[in-house]
Structures are given as C-alpha cells and as structure tokens.
Amino acid sequence: KNSIQIDFINDNIKTLKSGESLSVKSYVFAGAKEVPLIDDYIKNLNVNKLDLSVDFGWFYFLTKPLFYALNYLSVLFSNFGVGIIILTIFIRILLFPLANKSFKSMNSMRLLTPEIKRLRERFKDDKQKMNQEMFALYREKKINPAAGCLPILIQIPIFFALYKVLFVSIEMRQTPFFGWIKDLSVQDPTSIFNLFGLLPYSTSFLPDFLNIGIWPLLMGVTMFLQQRLNPTPPDPIQAKIFAWMPVAFTFLLATFPAGLVIYWTWNNLLSICQQWVIMNKMNKESK
C-alpha cells in the first residue's frame, strides 16, 4: 500500500554502435531537505537546481538569502528563536525609512478622522459633494491618502519571504526557545482553557484552534494595540471587520508553529513602538 515513485530523466542520450558500452552514474537524495547539505551536493556533484527541492516560494531571490541570515544568527546565538527576533530587528531597521513614511501618512489620516466624520454626517445624502469636500480637505492639509500604500507594498514581499522561510525551514524542527516552548515547529503547547497549565487537566480533546496558547494570545493583543494606533476606517462595516481581525487571527495562529507566532508577535511589537514614537512627535507638532 505504501509506495514511492521516482521518475528518472536522462538527457545524455547516445546511440551505441555494436560492441560499444555506456556507463551512467546517478545519485538519489533521500533525507531531510537541509539547505546547507543540499548546497554541498550542488557544489561537489554539480547537481543543477537541486536547491529548488526546498519550496522557497515566489520570492526565491529574497527567501534564500533570508534563510542564510536566519541560519547564521541561529548558530551565532545558539537559539533559533533568538535568531528570529534579531533578524526581525535588522529587517525593521533596514525598512525603517519606508515604514516611517507609511506610519506618518496613517497618522496624518488619523488626525483628520474627526473632520472626515463631520463631513460624512453633513453630506450623508450627497455622496458627490461629500467626496469633493474630502478631497478639498486633503489638499488643504497637504495629505495624500494613498501615500502610505506604496511603502507597505514594497515591504510585503520581504515580510512574506521571511514568513516563508520560517514555514519551510526544517532547521526549526525540535528546536527549543525559552520556557515552555520546547519545539518551535509545533504550536504553543499551553492553553487558555486550563489557565496555561495551572489547572491539572489536559485540553488535548479540544480542536487545535481552541487551544490558544500564551504566544498566540500575545500576538492577538499586539495586533489589537496596533489597530488602535491606526486611523479608524470611515466605513462602519469595514471598521467592524477590522475590529474583529485580532480575534480571528488569534484563533488562526493558535494552530501555527510557535516560531511563526513569535515572529509575528515581535514584528507587531516593533511596529507599535515605531508608530507610537511617530504619533507622539506629530501630535506635538500639530499642537
């Protein structure tokens, strides 16, 4: 019942004459797809494109360098989780100018939220007039509502590439972090339904998405705080959807590997700190 299929293609086709012989040497790789090991085979055996056996996704040109950086930091600090945190800090520093521009644009929109709400209430029966007044307000305040989108779009491939590294990296398997995280490749073993192990019973009978551990809960809290710093969407339905997103993501990430949740939580925390500093500075300037 259990079977393995291997397809073999040989491009070195040669027609043999009578009395001639041909010797073909082939290699089969069976084992964990560890990138340094695969790179050694590519170098020593000239195996073409063997590194594509690791699914680095669409942003391969970003994902593989990020893997090497993460692997180096993990070895340097003797902890894969610490490597994730340090690499996230480096990426945030590298992207600081772009993130700074995006946060400034969002905070400018946040300061205008009360005035936009007044315009919506005043011209709620005349959409065309409302849009004209809103654009006039943007021109008066010299604010471009779309100014914060481009920096975000540039950052998305980089953070998606780092997410992909953590998702496919076998090096994270059975690697401990600190405290209760003994394996970064599996979900947080704690659960809110037994007070994170304080109550003497198991919650393994519950579905995985209900066993919300400490790290997914921290991620949900940081996501909620980050949303509180962002301008409220003017559309009430959209605002309600955004308000429930931290709750939905908390349940979703409860099933994710702990390493991914730690990365997401730490990234949110860095974003909150950066946005809070920018908000304080702009609020002082506006006053």
Side-chain angles (χ1 to χ4, degrees):
K1 292 182 180 180
N2 297 324
S3 61
I4 298 174
Q5 177 180 333
I6 299 175
D7 296 326
F8 179 80
I9 300 175
N10 186 5
D11 295 330
N12 298 318
I13 299 175
K14 182 179 179 181
T15 302
L16 297 178
K17 297 179 181 179
S18 178
E20 287 186 337
S21 62
L22 176 66
S23 177
V24 178
K25 189 175 183 180
S26 302
Y27 298 91
V28 175
F29 176 81
K33 291 186 285 187
E34 297 177 358
V35 177
L37 178 63
I38 289 174
D39 286 344
D40 283 341
Y41 282 125
I42 294 173
K43 180 180 179 181
N44 297 325
L45 301 177
N46 295 320
V47 182
N48 189 28
K49 297 181 179 179
L50 183 61
D51 55 335
L52 296 181
S53 60
V54 180
D55 182 18
F56 280 131
W58 294 348
F59 302 106
Y60 176 89
F61 60 96
L62 290 173
T63 311
K64 194 169 182 182
L66 284 175
F67 168 82
Y68 284 124
L70 178 58
N71 193 51
Y72 173 80
L73 291 171
S74 302
V75 173
L76 181 65
F77 291 97
S78 302
N79 190 302
F80 202 92
V82 174
I84 293 172
I85 291 173
I86 299 298
L87 181 59
T88 308
I89 292 174
F90 283 152
I91 292 175
R92 296 299 306 192
I93 293 172
L94 181 65
L95 298 177
F96 180 82
L98 290 173
N100 210 37
K101 187 175 181 180
S102 178
F103 287 147
K104 281 184 177 180
S105 176
M106 285 191 292
N107 196 51
S108 298
M109 291 295 296
R110 182 175 176 273
L111 294 174
L112 284 183
T113 299
E115 296 184 51
I116 293 173
K117 283 184 178 180
R118 283 195 292 269
L119 288 176
R120 286 182 174 274
E121 291 173 1
R122 183 179 175 186
F123 302 104
K124 59 183 178 181
D125 297 324
D126 189 347
K127 297 289 185 183
Q128 185 176 356
K129 182 64 175 175
M130 180 183 68
N131 290 332
Q132 289 175 352
E133 291 294 326
M134 285 176 61
F135 281 116
L137 179 63
Y138 293 148
R139 283 196 300 270
E140 179 188 347
K141 301 295 183 180
K142 297 180 181 179
I143 294 174
N144 182 359
C149 297
L150 182 59
I152 292 175
L153 290 175
I154 296 173
Q155 294 174 70
I156 285 175
I158 297 175
F159 286 109
F160 181 79
L162 180 56
Y163 170 86
K164 188 69 174 178
V165 167
L166 297 174
F167 198 79
V168 303
S169 178
I170 197 171
E171 283 76 8
M172 193 166 68
R173 184 173 179 268
Q174 296 180 348
T175 303
F177 184 47
F178 294 115
W180 63 95
I181 302 296
K182 306 300 181 185
D183 187 349
L184 287 166
S185 65
V186 300
Q187 74 178 80
D188 190 321
T190 58
S191 175
I192 194 172
F193 289 102
N194 63 1
L195 296 181
F196 311 114
L198 294 177
L199 299 180
Y201 59 84
S202 172
T203 59
S204 58
F205 61 92
L206 294 172
D208 287 343
F209 72 91
L210 287 179
N211 277 318
I212 301 172
I214 296 175
W215 275 105
L217 197 61
L218 289 173
M219 190 286 307
V221 171
T222 57
M223 193 173 185
F224 171 77
L225 293 174
Q226 190 176 13
Q227 281 197 354
R228 297 289 292 179
L229 294 175
N230 292 336
T232 305
D235 183 14
I237 297 176
Q238 190 180 10
K240 288 181 180 179
I241 293 173
F242 273 85
W244 281 99
M245 277 184 64
V247 178
F249 270 78
T250 299
F251 282 100
L252 176 65
L253 265 71
T255 64
F256 275 43
L260 278 169
V261 184
I262 291 170
Y263 153 68
W264 207 309
T265 306
W266 187 245
N267 187 54
N268 287 349
L269 189 60
L270 293 175
S271 297
I272 290 169
C273 294
Q274 184 177 358
Q275 197 165 351
W276 182 79
V277 170
I278 293 171
M279 281 178 57
N280 278 353
K281 183 179 178 182
M282 292 188 70
N283 288 339
K284 290 177 181 178
E285 290 174 355
S286 65
K287 288 178 182 179

